[in-house]
Amino acid sequence: MSVLLFDETPYEIINNRVKRKLIHTENLMTVVVDFSEGPWAEADPLHNHPHEQTTFIAEGEVIFYFEGEPEQRLKAGDMVAVPPYVKHAIKLVSPTARLVDSFNPVREDFLK
């Protein structure tokens, strides 16, 4: 069994406005991502990956972009599912936000 004690686990700093903490099993990864310096003028670049993804908006508000679909404005309590290989991105609308992403399989690129 793995346990992540939030207050005792340091963030991985991705850039000046994104940091994360993660836990995983052999087949499933959960990532808490904190965003700051909002609202952003532009969305992050679209990206895709071979993983299934679900995202829970725990705090704040974002616009979620899916390639070929209308944008979705999401707030705390909302969730979204992203199929493998679908290009997607977010734009922070509130000053900060916390998203909880789950991935299957594990995002090996997130592991050190």
Side-chain angles (χ1 to χ4, degrees):
M1 177 174 85
S2 296
V3 174
L4 183 147
L5 299 174
F6 196 84
D7 292 340
E8 296 176 21
T9 303
Y11 279 99
E12 177 185 0
I13 306 301
I14 306 307
N15 59 44
N16 62 334
R17 59 187 197 175
V18 181
K19 58 187 179 179
R20 68 183 175 210
K21 298 181 185 195
L22 61 87
I23 191 169
H24 66 90
T25 64
E26 184 177 341
N27 298 306
L28 180 66
M29 175 178 277
T30 301
V31 184
V32 175
V33 188
D34 286 341
F35 297 90
S36 61
E37 298 187 12
W40 297 346
E42 296 182 14
D44 278 343
L46 287 168
H47 69 282
N48 68 40
H49 41 74
H51 312 83
E52 295 178 303
Q53 175 181 343
T54 60
T55 298
F56 172 71
I57 296 31
E59 297 175 13
E61 193 169 352
V62 299
I63 297 175
F64 215 100
Y65 298 91
F66 294 93
E67 184 177 44
E69 297 285 335
E71 65 185 46
Q72 295 289 319
R73 192 174 184 114
L74 305 173
K75 62 181 180 359
D78 294 338
M79 293 184 274
V80 63
V82 183
Y85 300 105
V86 171
K87 288 186 179 180
H88 57 283
I90 69 156
K91 180 170 107 174
L92 183 59
V93 178
S94 54
T96 62
R98 174 170 286 168
L99 277 56
V100 181
D101 294 331
S102 295
F103 297 99
N104 178 45
V106 168
R107 294 278 310 251
E108 297 288 339
D109 57 320
F110 283 12
L111 301 176
K112 294 180 181 178

